[in-house]
Amino acid sequence: TLFPYATLFRSMLKLPLELREIVILRKSENLSRREIALKLGVTERTVSRRIAESARALADTFYGDSSDPWGQS
């Protein structure tokens, strides 16, 4: 079904631009962290942090709040 793809697309649109561009460059254009850092003028550490942040935000869309992965709020 298209539901997961539609949800992913809507979730991507909700990401701040700095996170969305990282996901696009990494997954769609298949650039390395180093290539992304050079392209955006940021450090590789910043790229890694933004990748992790965007992954958490997208996971929250599908699985709920990921701040407590063990479900012990």
Side-chain angles (χ1 to χ4, degrees):
T1 69
L2 291 178
F3 175 73
Y5 298 109
T7 302
L8 178 61
F9 182 75
R10 283 193 305 274
S11 299
M12 286 286 294
L13 291 176
K14 290 179 184 177
L15 288 176
L17 180 59
E18 67 181 14
L19 300 182
R20 188 173 40 215
E21 68 186 346
I22 293 283
V23 173
I24 292 168
L25 292 171
R26 182 76 169 154
K27 296 300 181 183
S28 295
E29 296 187 25
N30 203 29
L31 296 182
S32 69
R33 287 184 169 116
R34 173 172 280 216
E35 291 169 320
I36 294 169
L38 290 171
K39 186 174 187 101
L40 299 179
V42 298
T43 66
E44 287 184 59
R45 185 174 183 190
T46 296
V47 171
S48 294
R49 183 185 55 77
R50 290 180 184 172
I51 288 171
E53 192 175 339
S54 61
R56 278 192 302 274
L58 292 172
D60 285 349
T61 299
F62 289 96
Y63 306 112
D65 185 5
S66 65
S67 61
D68 183 15
W70 307 112
Q72 301 172 353
S73 299

